[in-house]
Amino acid sequence: MDKPGQLKKTLKLLAITSLVILATISCRPGLPPATPPQPIQPPIPYPLPEPPPDTIAPETIITSSPDGTVNQNTITFQWTGTDDKTPTANLTYSCYLAGHDTDYSPFTSDTTKTYSSLPDGTYTFYVKSRDDAGNEDKTPASVEFTIHTIKPSPVTPIAPADSSLLIVPNSNVSHIAAGCDGKTIYAIDSFNAKLYKSEQGGFGWADSSRSIGGASTWDGLAVAPDDARVLAIVTDSGTEVYLSTNGGTNFYRTGLTGALKASERVKCLALSPVYGQGRRELVVGTSTGNGGGRVLLNISSGAGIAWTDISTSVSGWLPGSPPIAGTDVFAIEYSPSFPADGTLLAIVASKPPPDTDDTYLYIGLRDLGTGNIVWNSSPGYPVEICQQGSDTPGTPLTYADLALPADYNGANTAHRHVYACWTDNPAGSASAGNPNDDVYRLDDTVAYRLLVRNDITCSLAHYGRFNRGKLLAGALNARAGTFAQGPQVYCSFNPQSAYPTWQESRKPPTGPGRARVAWSPDGNIAYCGTSSTAPGGHDQSAFSLSRDNGLTWNQTGLIDL
């Protein structure tokens, strides 16, 4: 039997049979048609993940800055920044000059900053960038530099031994004032009614009293901050003021006597810088000893003068909180920024109980266009000049003084830094009166006691800006020094600190007391005048200067041997 042939036939028959069966099934009536193929559905989309938050801060780069020590005080900085997401063009920047600014500036798109009129010293400039997400550079770019301007060679002063008026028997140096020109200094002898002038920085003096008609005593002296030729003197035991605009060659009587009450006496005075159309102000603070003092203003524009009361019935002069019914004025000072901020400051003491019987810092804000003034309109004013929980005396005070940093600005609370001192101790007394008399720093409305120990302070002088300034404090009473008997002068190089340190004179200025201090315009020389509390005698009072910030003092004129 042909088995392979038979197998092929069998398979062929099975295939034909299967085709017949399938055809029969597909043609049977009553069966539903075949379902057409369904379209393929697209996949359901899933949400994309959120991008991670931008937490990476940008980087800041200083591209142009001073290098090391420079001999100019106008400085320009340039910078840029980079970020992983924010374009460089969208970055903003904030900068800060340590030693000049009080804080970082607001963020802006500026990439350059210029500072002008910077005093000599060492500074550090910082700048930081910020991206669109608000991330700030945590490590600002910085550069340190030093300004050391080249000063003209100093004029060789006349040697003290050859100076005119080196020795002046029975003289006192009761008040001093240094002119802005760096060479002119004025001094008055209260008891002998004398004005002396030096045009050689304290070496060589001339008697400039001849054109002043006022009688003794002479109780105050002021020089304009912007013109050494303009000065004013309080004469006639505090009842008149004489003014000179030509360096003391000629004086004229201002007529203050007619504006004073019978018991009213001038205790302080100040001259403003020029503002507006050549206007300059002379202001005096007065006392009656029982709270009847005032502030009187004399405005001169070259066409005449007139005294005006800018305190009595003026808004804020006698505030209701604290309730002050009357004051006497013992120190007064114009802001260094007066043409811009119109600010006048005063130390006043109120009446005895039932009044407050305290000592305050007053702030007056002038509208230089209208001449109006408002006192103590800023929150927190007047400010009692003492630490919290301590006490101050009421009127009368024996001495008071104000000293302002060069960048004080009454329109900006961040720049309202004031140094003040007061005492009700009489000269020669170290224990009578209120024990809280001292030097105080007022950062706007907060007062800090600077703790000049073991001495009563009667005068202050500040040089420089607040962040980089130095402060002199002259003592009221003499005490033993290393070389000679004399009142101490203290100097602090960090009076802006919470804990200032004080350097006292190793060789103090000679004299019986009342150290009146001042700085030269460049801060390189300190000046001091000393005087007695009564006329007569030979007490070594004199005009002295120091070239080492008050550490050692040497007489240069007006010595009472």
Side-chain angles (χ1 to χ4, degrees), residues 519-534:
W519 287 107
S520 62
D522 60 8
N524 290 332
I525 303 175
Y527 305 123
C528 181
T530 56
S531 62
S532 61
T533 58

Side-chain angles (χ1 to χ4, degrees), residues 198-389:
S198 171
E199 295 184 296
Q200 297 165 310
F203 294 92
W205 294 85
D207 186 343
S208 298
S209 312
R210 57 191 176 278
S211 59
I212 305 173
S216 63
T217 60
W218 293 4
D219 297 317
L221 170 66
V223 64
D226 56 350
D227 191 339
R229 300 169 300 171
V230 180
L231 69 150
I233 298 174
V234 180
T235 68
D236 295 345
S237 298
T239 61
E240 188 55 273
V241 171
Y242 280 77
L243 180 68
S244 175
T245 58
N246 58 8
T249 301
N250 303 103
F251 280 87
Y252 62 87
R253 183 173 174 270
T254 63
L256 177 64
T257 301
L260 296 179
K261 296 176 286 189
S263 61
E264 196 173 13
R265 298 292 182 269
V266 174
K267 292 297 181 181
C268 51
L269 77 166
L271 283 157
S272 78
V274 166
Y275 66 92
Q277 301 299 315
R279 306 180 80 187
R280 187 188 302 281
E281 298 183 6
L282 167 62
V283 68
V284 298
T286 69
S287 167
T288 62
N290 60 3
R294 299 179 293 168
V295 175
L296 301 174
L297 178 69
N298 176 310
I299 299 179
S300 175
S301 58
I305 56 174
W307 287 100
T308 303
D309 183 350
I310 60 170
S311 53
T312 305
S313 301
V314 173
S315 176
W317 180 253
L318 298 179
S321 179
I324 298 175
T327 63
D328 289 326
V329 186
F330 293 96
I332 199 159
E333 194 67 59
Y334 282 99
S335 163
S337 307
F338 182 71
D341 66 12
T343 299
L344 185 62
L345 297 167
I347 294 178
V348 306
S350 61
K351 296 166 59 176
D355 207 336
T356 59
D357 193 33
D358 288 312
T359 298
Y360 299 96
L361 176 69
Y362 269 35
I363 185 170
L365 301 178
R366 293 279 312 284
D367 183 329
L368 299 183
T370 65
N372 294 331
I373 187 169
V374 176
W375 292 96
N376 304 315
S377 59
S378 299
Y381 284 86
V383 186
E384 188 174 0
I385 308 174
C386 67
Q387 287 182 305
Q388 186 174 7

Side-chain angles (χ1 to χ4, degrees), residues 420-422 436-440 449-453 455 457:
C421 68
W422 55 261
N436 296 316
D437 52 4
D438 205 333
V439 178
Y440 289 85
R449 190 174 183 179
L450 301 190
L451 298 175
V452 183
R453 298 287 190 181
D455 256 325
T457 302

